[in-house]
Amino acid sequence: MELRKIEKKRYHLLDGLRGIMLILMCLYHAAWDLVYIFNIGTDLFGGTAVYFMQQFICSGFIMLSGLCWRLSGSIKTHLKNGLIVSVCGVIVTLATLRLDAGARIYFGILTFMGSAMLIMIPLDKLLCRVNNFVGAAAALLLFAACKNIAAGELLFGLIKLPDAFYNGMFMTYLGFTDRDFYSADYFGILPWIFMYIFGYFISPLVIKAVRRVLYTKIPAADIAGKHSLIVYMLHQPVIYGLLWLIFSR
C-alpha cells in the first residue's frame, strides 16, 4: 500500500515544523532588510553562525517539502501545486525587478520548490523502488558532493567543472551559476534537489518511527505551516512595511 494512503489524518507536527522554519526565515529576512535596505546593524551578516543558520533554515524547509510530497495527493495534485508555486516564484521575481540590483530575486526558493514538485512526478516512479535507507544516504552524499557546484566544484573541490557550463540563465537555473549572475535569493536545481529527495526518502522512516507524535499541534506555527505559501508571499512586504514605519522617521 502506498505511503500516502496509509493515513488520511493530517500530521499537524509537520505543519508546525514547517511553520517554525517560516518564522525563522522571517527573522532572517528581517535582519537582511535591516542590513541591506536600511543600513542598520551592518555587522549582523558575514559570520559563520549566520551562514549556518541560513543553511539550516533553507535545508529544513526543502527537506520538509520533500517529505510531505510523498505523503500527499495524486499526480494531478502535485502538478497543480508545482505550477502554482512556480507562478508565485515568477511573481516574486517580477515584484523585485524595480528594486536595487542587490535586492532582486531570480530563481529563488519558490521557483526551486515549484520545479522540485514537478520534477518529482516522473522521478517518483523510479525512486519509490529504491530502499529508503539507501536512497536517503545517497541523496545526502550527492547533496554534499554537489554543494559547491555554483563555484565550479564537485566532491569538495576534488573535481573542477568546465567554465563552459557556467553560461546563461538556463544553466544558472540548473545550478551552474553564470559568473555575472546575482540574486538576493538563489536556489539552483543542483544541489538542492538532492535535499528534496532526501526528505522524500526519510518520509516513510519518519512516519514509521514517530507516527503518534505527528498528530501533535504546535500553536501558531501549525497555522503558519498550513498556509506556508501565503505566509511566504506576504512576509517580505509586511516586514519591509513595519521596518519602514519604525526606521524611516
Side-chain angles (χ1 to χ4, degrees):
M1 185 178 293
E2 292 182 10
L3 176 66
R4 59 181 65 93
K5 294 180 179 178
I6 292 176
E7 181 59 70
K8 294 183 179 180
K9 293 182 180 179
R10 190 175 187 95
Y11 294 132
H12 296 288
L13 184 60
L14 297 180
D15 290 324
L17 292 175
R18 190 187 301 112
I20 289 172
M21 291 299 167
L22 279 168
I23 292 168
L24 291 174
M25 182 176 61
C26 289
L27 294 174
Y28 178 87
H29 285 166
W32 193 95
D33 288 350
L34 278 173
V35 172
Y36 293 107
I37 297 179
F38 294 91
N39 296 313
I40 296 171
T42 53
D43 57 344
L44 286 175
F45 281 78
T48 304
V50 173
Y51 170 77
F52 280 111
M53 176 184 176
Q54 189 265 350
Q55 292 294 297
F56 170 76
I57 294 170
C58 59
S59 295
F61 199 67
I62 290 170
M63 180 198 68
L64 280 170
S65 182
L67 190 155
C68 292
W69 191 98
R70 199 170 185 180
L71 293 175
S72 59
S74 61
I75 291 177
K76 183 178 178 180
T77 301
H78 290 311
L79 181 61
K80 181 188 73 172
N81 291 342
L83 291 174
I84 289 173
V85 176
S86 295
V87 168
C88 288
V90 173
I91 292 172
V92 169
T93 296
L94 294 175
T96 59
L97 289 180
R98 292 181 175 271
L99 302 178
D100 294 337
R104 294 172 188 168
I105 294 175
Y106 303 94
F107 308 132
I109 185 69
L110 290 184
T111 300
F112 167 78
M113 287 288 206
S115 298
M117 291 174 187
L118 297 175
I119 290 169
M120 290 302 295
I121 294 174
L123 280 185
D124 179 44
K125 295 181 180 179
L126 298 174
L127 298 181
C128 68
R129 303 174 184 176
V130 178
N131 176 274
N132 292 309
F133 287 103
V134 173
L140 268 189
L141 287 173
L142 287 169
F143 176 76
C146 297
K147 188 64 174 70
N148 291 326
I149 198 170
E153 298 178 353
L154 290 177
L155 291 175
F156 315 102
L158 294 176
I159 297 176
K160 301 292 183 181
L161 295 173
D163 290 339
F165 286 4
Y166 297 82
N167 184 23
M169 294 297 276
F170 179 70
M171 295 303 287
T172 298
Y173 164 74
L174 293 180
F176 303 94
T177 314
D178 190 291
R179 298 312 178 205
D180 296 324
F181 174 81
Y182 178 80
S183 174
D185 181 41
Y186 170 63
F187 291 85
I189 298 301
L190 296 174
W192 292 102
I193 190 65
F194 294 121
M195 182 57 67
Y196 200 96
I197 292 173
F198 173 71
Y200 170 94
F201 276 121
I202 67 169
S203 183
L205 305 177
V206 170
I207 302 308
K208 184 177 180 180
V210 293
R211 179 179 296 172
R212 291 183 181 179
V213 203
L214 292 176
Y215 299 115
T216 306
K217 289 187 177 182
I218 304 176
D222 172 75
I223 298 174
K226 285 180 181 177
H227 306 285
S228 56
L229 184 58
I230 295 174
V231 173
Y232 188 91
M233 293 296 289
L234 294 179
H235 83 281
Q236 271 290 36
V238 171
I239 290 171
Y240 178 84
L242 290 173
L243 293 177
W244 183 84
L245 288 173
I246 296 170
F247 295 105
S248 64
R249 298 176 182 178

